[in-house]
């Protein structure tokens, strides 16, 4: 468990929950668990009565994405709990004190704003749980996992309805995943079954959740065509995955988690790039306005990301120097980054951002496909990837005679990203040949990025040197600037050889 903060303000307690759930009959008997991997003893069972009120929008937008927000009394962790899926068998859980019964803590509410988009959060269900907790201990007495035997009674508040059931939950503490697997095997052998839902609320509301996720939309579309992807389906599936990434990294970006802004920005750029590269498949009268809004969002994310990159880069540089402490200019850079995070959080609360998310979901749910979208993806995608690569090749060739070579290199880097993302769309259909294009484009992109990052860093250091307060600080900035220029030139020297080694796309005829 850890504290998450922005600046010096603690906003929540974060806990990564790794667990598996099992349905069990009323007369189910929990089997002996001491012979599981690493388990030396089973602690004395504890009994708790838990009361939880779950909050969601009226159309259950959080539940549709597997997110739960609850206020729970009883047990050892009473308070507000926000659980967001983080992968197989795991969820990120953020907690806050009990506070007021009907008022969701503002910070937790902000972390689901990408889903609620201005919709109010209200109580949608209650769960009463009689829980027996069994802790599995190692030889030193450390808790490896907790097994919770729950008798649950649920009530739907949005209308009439409810249910009662028994559920066994195994949550890892200090144990390894093989313990989770072994415990599940033991429970199934005793008569338990894999849970039909990953959450109690999901089970209770299953019939009421009408809002499909983007992934479900694509899966339904593919099933309707018998599993043979068209160009339009391949593009739609990719766009849906990137939209899911934007939504997944939104709360992480608001919490200033490591690399979250970067990954949210990349997903945004991927969508924008593919909307351009696949214009023969998508009607631009609908996609061009979205590209403009995606550019706006990427710029807001970019302000934070650029400062973040510089701060991390210079922190590592300074750490390699002897006994210079924390320079004032580096502290100022960190302050600028915190201010940029505050501006980003304000941006992510704007109706303009929510409207963009609505428009992207509508795009995926009802894509504006045109003529070539109905063609076989294996036939159509190679042409579009090759077209993106041809544009890259032409831009690279322009570097040698451009009036502004750095601008031409920057444009080449952008076209390398565009070719890479175009090929990523094709990977599920074309396999290794498309993966090769992705790798080659990324390789060129990284060389150009190494040059550009060095140039930008050197320029920043030059500006800082102009404001230096003493000769020692100016000397340090000069040393760092020299390092950046040397690395930029080294990257530039690799550019021609890298391009010469990269073959153009090669796809076998289907």
């Amino acid at each position: 468990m850890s504290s998450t903060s922005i600046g010096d303000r603690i906003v929540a307690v974060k806990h990564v929950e790794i667990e598996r759930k099992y349905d069990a009959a009323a007369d189910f008997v929990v089997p002996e668990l001491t012979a599981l991997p690493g388990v030396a003893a089973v602690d004395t069972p504890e009994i708790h009565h838990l009361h939880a009120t779950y909050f969601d929008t009226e159309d259950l937008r959080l539940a549709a994405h597997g997110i739960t927000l609850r206020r729970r009394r009883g047990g050892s962790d009473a308070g507000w709990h926000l659980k967001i899926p983080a992968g197989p068998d795991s969820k990120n859980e953020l907690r806050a004190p009990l506070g007021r019964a009907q008022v969701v803590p503002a910070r937790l509410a902000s972390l689901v704003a990408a889903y609620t988009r201005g919709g109010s959060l209200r109580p949608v269900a209650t769960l009463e749980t009689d829980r027996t907790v069994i802790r599995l201990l190692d030889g030193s007495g450390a808790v490896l996992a907790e097994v919770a035997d729950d008798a649950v009674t649920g009530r739907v508040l949005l209308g009439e309805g409810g249910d009662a059931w028994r559920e066994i939950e195994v949550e890892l503490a200090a144990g390894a995943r093989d313990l989770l697997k072994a415990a599940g095997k033991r429970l199934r052998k005793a008569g338990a079954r894999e849970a039909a839902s990953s959450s109690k609320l999901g089970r209770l509301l299953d019939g009421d959740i009408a809002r499909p996720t983007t992934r479900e939309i694509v899966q339904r579309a593919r099933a309707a065509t018998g599993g043979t992807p068209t160009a339009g389906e391949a593009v739609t599936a990719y766009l849906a995955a990137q939209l899911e990434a934007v939504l997944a990294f939104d709360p992480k970006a608001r919490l200033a988690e490591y690399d979250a802004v970067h990954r949210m920005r990349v997903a945004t750029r991927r969508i924008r790039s593919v909307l351009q590269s696949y214009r023969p498949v998508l009607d631009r009268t609908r996609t061009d306005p979205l590209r403009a809004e995606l550019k706006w969002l990427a710029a807001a994310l970019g302000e934070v990301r650029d400062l973040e990159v510089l701060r991390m880069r210079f922190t590592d540089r300074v750490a390699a120097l002897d006994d210079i402490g924390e320079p004032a200019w580096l502290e100022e850079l960190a302050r600028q980054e915190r201010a940029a995070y505050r501006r980003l959080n304000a941006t992510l609360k704007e109706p303009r951002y929510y409207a963009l998310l609505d428009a992207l979901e509508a795009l995926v749910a009802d894509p504006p496909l045109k003529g070539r979208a109905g063609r076989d993806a294996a036939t159509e995608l190679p042409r579009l990837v090759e077209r993106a690569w041809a544009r890259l090749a032409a831009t690279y060739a322009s570097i040698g005679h451009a009036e502004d070579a750095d601008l031409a290199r920057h444009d080449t880097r952008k076209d390398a990203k565009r070719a890479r993302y175009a090929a990523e769309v094709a990977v599920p259909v074309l396999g290794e040949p498309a993966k090769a294009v992705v790798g080659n484009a990324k390789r060129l992109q990284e060389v150009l990025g190494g040059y550009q990052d060095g140039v930008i860093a050197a320029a920043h250091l030059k500006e800082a040197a102009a404001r230096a307060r003493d000769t020692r600080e100016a000397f340090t900035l000069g040393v760092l600037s020299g390092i950046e220029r040397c690395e930029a030139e080294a990257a530039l020297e690799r550019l021609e050889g890298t391009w010469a080694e990269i073959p153009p796309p090669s796809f076998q005829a289907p």
Side-chain angles (χ1 to χ4, degrees):
M1 188 179 296
S2 63
S3 296
T4 303
S5 65
I6 295 179
D8 299 321
R9 184 164 61 91
I10 303 298
V11 296
V13 178
K14 183 180 177 184
H15 168 72
V16 178
E17 182 181 79
I18 303 174
E19 65 181 17
R20 291 184 184 176
K21 297 176 181 289
Y22 302 88
D23 292 332
D27 59 353
F28 177 79
V29 177
V30 177
E32 174 64 39
L33 300 172
T34 52
L36 296 173
V39 177
V42 174
D43 204 0
T44 303
E46 293 183 3
I47 298 175
H48 304 282
H49 180 76
L50 311 175
H51 174 86
T53 301
Y54 287 80
F55 289 72
D56 205 332
T57 60
E58 190 169 1
D59 57 355
L60 303 177
R61 298 180 189 181
L62 301 187
H65 289 87
I67 298 170
T68 57
L69 174 60
R70 73 186 179 204
R71 182 180 185 271
R72 189 166 76 184
R73 303 192 310 271
S76 59
D77 61 349
W80 288 88
H81 303 166
L82 171 62
K83 296 186 179 185
I84 302 175
D89 305 321
S90 63
K91 295 180 180 180
N92 284 330
E93 180 177 338
L94 293 106
R95 301 175 183 173
L98 276 170
R100 297 167 62 186
Q102 298 296 314
V103 180
V104 177
R107 193 56 186 158
L108 294 186
S110 75
L111 296 180
V112 295
Y115 300 94
T116 59
R117 299 174 203 168
S120 61
L121 290 165
R122 52 168 292 181
V124 296
T126 61
L127 291 178
E128 300 280 348
T129 304
D130 290 317
R131 167 170 289 182
T132 301
V133 178
I134 305 169
R135 294 183 176 87
L136 309 184
L137 312 177
D138 66 9
S140 67
V143 179
L144 298 176
E146 288 189 355
V147 179
D149 183 355
D150 292 342
V152 186
T153 302
R155 184 166 67 95
V156 179
L157 302 179
L158 291 174
E160 296 182 2
D163 195 5
W165 67 93
R166 189 174 176 196
E167 179 177 292
I168 312 296
E169 178 181 295
V170 184
E171 181 178 351
L172 284 183
R177 281 187 177 269
D178 63 340
L179 173 57
L180 195 67
K181 183 178 179 180
K185 184 176 181 180
R186 183 72 56 83
L187 291 169
R188 290 194 303 272
K189 188 175 181 179
R193 307 174 305 280
E194 293 281 353
S197 176
S198 61
S199 73
K200 293 178 174 66
L201 181 66
R203 172 173 179 154
L204 180 63
L205 298 178
D206 183 50
D208 298 309
I209 300 174
R211 185 184 179 94
T213 64
T214 50
R215 180 171 297 172
E216 288 171 338
I217 290 169
V218 174
Q219 289 173 340
R220 291 176 190 175
R222 181 154 298 174
T225 61
T228 302
T230 63
E233 287 172 346
V235 174
T236 302
Y238 184 84
L239 293 173
Q242 300 313 312
L243 175 55
E244 284 189 342
V246 170
L247 294 173
F249 286 109
D250 172 289
K252 298 175 186 290
R254 293 171 192 262
L255 288 171
E257 289 191 15
Y258 173 74
D259 210 35
V261 166
H262 170 59
R263 297 179 72 176
M264 184 176 175
R265 185 190 188 195
V266 168
T268 301
R269 284 178 157 181
R270 280 178 164 137
I271 296 172
R272 184 169 183 266
S273 179
V274 166
L275 292 182
Q276 177 171 344
S277 297
Y278 284 86
R279 280 175 174 169
V281 172
L282 300 168
D283 184 352
R284 63 183 299 178
T285 60
R286 273 187 62 187
T287 60
D288 280 0
L290 284 177
R291 291 189 67 248
E293 292 302 281
L294 288 161
K295 183 178 182 180
W296 163 76
L297 177 58
L301 294 163
E303 182 191 12
V304 172
R305 177 57 181 170
D306 292 345
L307 290 167
E308 186 178 58
V309 167
L310 288 174
R311 193 250 316 152
M312 291 190 297
R313 187 182 187 101
F314 295 153
T315 298
D316 290 342
R317 299 285 196 215
V318 168
L321 301 177
D322 292 332
D323 191 29
I324 68 169
E326 181 80 355
W329 59 269
L330 190 54
E331 293 175 1
E332 173 60 25
L333 187 60
R335 283 194 292 271
Q336 292 175 12
E337 182 187 346
R338 289 194 292 271
Y341 262 111
R342 288 192 291 272
R343 288 190 291 274
L344 175 61
N345 270 274
T347 296
L348 297 181
K349 295 175 184 177
E350 291 186 21
R352 183 178 180 180
Y353 174 56
Y354 301 153
L356 172 58
L357 295 179
D358 284 342
L360 290 173
E361 284 193 343
L363 180 79
V364 171
D366 182 23
L369 304 178
K370 48 198 268 190
R372 292 166 68 174
R375 298 178 183 177
D376 189 324
T379 301
E380 190 64 23
L381 297 188
R383 298 169 184 163
L384 296 173
V385 174
E386 288 166 351
R387 188 176 76 163
W389 191 270
R391 173 171 173 162
L392 166 61
T395 309
Y396 176 82
S398 73
I399 295 174
H401 54 79
E403 292 185 9
D404 187 337
D406 275 356
L407 178 59
R409 293 186 188 103
H410 179 62
D411 289 342
T412 301
R413 186 186 183 196
K414 290 194 295 184
D415 283 343
K417 290 181 181 179
R418 186 174 292 116
R420 174 184 170 186
Y421 301 152
E424 284 178 353
V425 174
V427 167
V429 178
L430 303 177
E432 289 302 324
K435 285 183 181 179
V437 178
V438 171
N440 289 332
K442 182 179 180 181
R443 184 180 170 194
L444 181 66
Q445 173 191 330
E446 288 175 345
V447 173
L448 288 163
Y451 172 72
Q452 184 178 346
D453 290 349
V455 169
I456 292 173
H460 183 92
L461 292 167
K462 183 178 179 180
E463 292 178 4
R467 302 188 300 270
R469 300 173 183 175
D470 56 51
T471 55
R472 185 181 184 186
E473 185 176 81
F475 176 77
T476 299
L477 289 163
V479 170
L480 294 176
S481 182
I483 293 172
E484 295 294 353
R485 286 195 300 271
C486 287
E487 291 199 358
E489 290 302 319
L492 190 57
E493 289 173 1
R494 296 195 303 272
L495 178 58
E496 186 175 347
T498 300
W499 178 256
E501 294 171 359
I502 292 176
S506 177
F507 299 106
Q508 294 181 351

